[in-house]
Amino acid sequence: MGDSYEPCHENVLVYDRLPDPVKAEVDTALEEGAYETTSFLVEDELRYERVAGRSVDALRKDGTYYEARVESSTSWAGLGRTRTLSFEETAFTSDTPAELLVRNVTTDLWTGVIAIDDPADERLLEERLTIESYPREETPDHYTEADRDRIVQLPVTNEYGRYEATFDPDNGEPERVDVWFTMGYPPRRNRYAITDNGPEYDETLYGAIGRPGHPSTPCSWDDEGNLI
C-alpha cells in the first residue's frame, strides 16, 4: 500500500472499504479512545485525514456513525507535529428520504411488487405497482412534468447504507439488486429500469429528477491509494 491516498468525495466513509493502514488507525482510536502519531515527513502523517479529505462528515462501522476529531500539536523540540485522532458517535440522517427511481423500458405494462429491505433484513417498503411502458428511445433531452410522471419515485430511507431491492413481477420470478443510498445534500437517488432481462441500473435517467449523476457507492481504494 502506498503512502498517498486520494481523498473520498462522498459524505460518509464505510469502514469495511478503508485501506488496511487506515483501518488500523480507526481501530486504535475506537478501542483506546484515541490514535496518536508524530510525523516528521508528510508521508508519516495521519492517513485517516488523507482519505477523508474535506467532504467526509462521518465514518460508518457496524451500523454506527462516528464523527472524527483531529487535534494537532507541535512535538517535542519543535521537530515535527503530533496528530491525535478520536471519534464520537453521531447520527447521520437527512430530513429528506432518499428515493428509488424506477421506470419500465419494456414494451408491456409491468405489474408486480417492489420491496426494499435494510441490512438487518427489516422490510422498509413494499408496494404493489402498475408501471406503464417508457422505452429508453423516448428519453428526452430535457424532462417535462409529463416525463417525470412516468417514473416511479419510492421514498425509502433517511439513513445512508446498502439496501436490497426486490422486483417481483406477477408473470415472472423475483429478482434482487443491491441499492446504495448516499445521504448528501440533497440525498442521492438510485435509478433502475425494468427490462426484459430484469432490473438494471438506468443510465438514461441522468437528470430526470434531482441533480444528474451516477448512483453513489462508498469510496474504495486500490493498492496504490487510488479511488476505484
Side-chain angles (χ1 to χ4, degrees), residues 45-64:
E45 293 183 352
L46 192 63
R47 294 180 176 92
Y48 183 87
E49 272 192 300
R50 280 182 263 158
V51 300
R54 297 181 178 181
S55 299
V56 170
D57 296 318
L59 167 77
R60 178 173 175 164
K61 182 181 181 185
D62 299 330
T64 301

Side-chain angles (χ1 to χ4, degrees), residues 25-205:
E25 293 180 349
V26 171
D27 289 342
T28 299
L30 290 175
E31 293 168 8
E32 300 181 11
Y35 170 81
E36 185 177 285
T37 180
T38 299
S39 61
F40 300 93
L41 301 172
V42 172
E43 55 264 30
D44 295 328
E45 293 183 352
L46 192 63
R47 294 180 176 92
Y48 183 87
E49 272 192 300
R50 280 182 263 158
V51 300
R54 297 181 178 181
S55 299
V56 170
D57 296 318
L59 167 77
R60 178 173 175 164
K61 182 181 181 185
D62 299 330
T64 301
Y65 295 97
Y66 299 92
E67 181 180 357
R69 294 184 177 180
V70 178
E71 298 178 352
S72 180
S73 61
T74 303
S75 62
W76 183 80
L79 298 177
R81 65 173 183 167
T82 298
R83 308 287 280 172
T84 303
L85 172 68
S86 61
F87 290 95
E88 182 176 338
E89 284 193 30
T90 186
F92 195 73
T93 60
S94 170
D95 293 335
T96 305
E99 294 178 335
L100 177 66
L101 304 186
V102 181
R103 75 166 171 177
N104 170 22
V105 299
T106 71
T107 56
D108 300 316
L109 199 68
W110 188 91
T111 57
V113 173
I114 295 178
I116 304 286
D117 296 322
D118 70 9
D121 291 328
E122 179 181 348
R123 181 135 299 181
L124 303 180
L125 175 148
E126 184 172 336
E127 286 199 27
R128 168 162 287 280
L129 298 165
T130 298
I131 307 176
E132 66 175 289
S133 174
Y134 188 178
R136 284 197 172 104
E137 56 267 25
E138 295 182 20
T139 301
D141 292 332
H142 301 285
Y143 286 88
T144 65
E145 287 302 318
D147 295 316
R148 295 188 180 98
D149 287 343
R150 301 168 73 183
I151 301 168
V152 174
Q153 304 171 55
L154 300 174
V156 178
T157 180
N158 291 75
E159 291 193 12
Y160 172 84
R162 181 187 64 80
Y163 296 82
E164 188 174 76
T166 301
F167 292 76
D168 189 0
D170 290 346
N171 60 349
E173 296 297 320
E175 294 196 43
R176 297 181 178 182
V177 295
D178 283 341
V179 178
W180 283 99
F181 292 112
T182 298
M183 306 309 293
Y185 305 97
R188 306 285 176 88
R189 298 173 169 92
N190 235 330
R191 303 155 168 85
Y192 272 87
I194 296 170
T195 75
D196 291 327
N197 297 317
E200 298 176 358
Y201 172 66
D202 192 351
E203 295 183 356
T204 60
L205 276 180

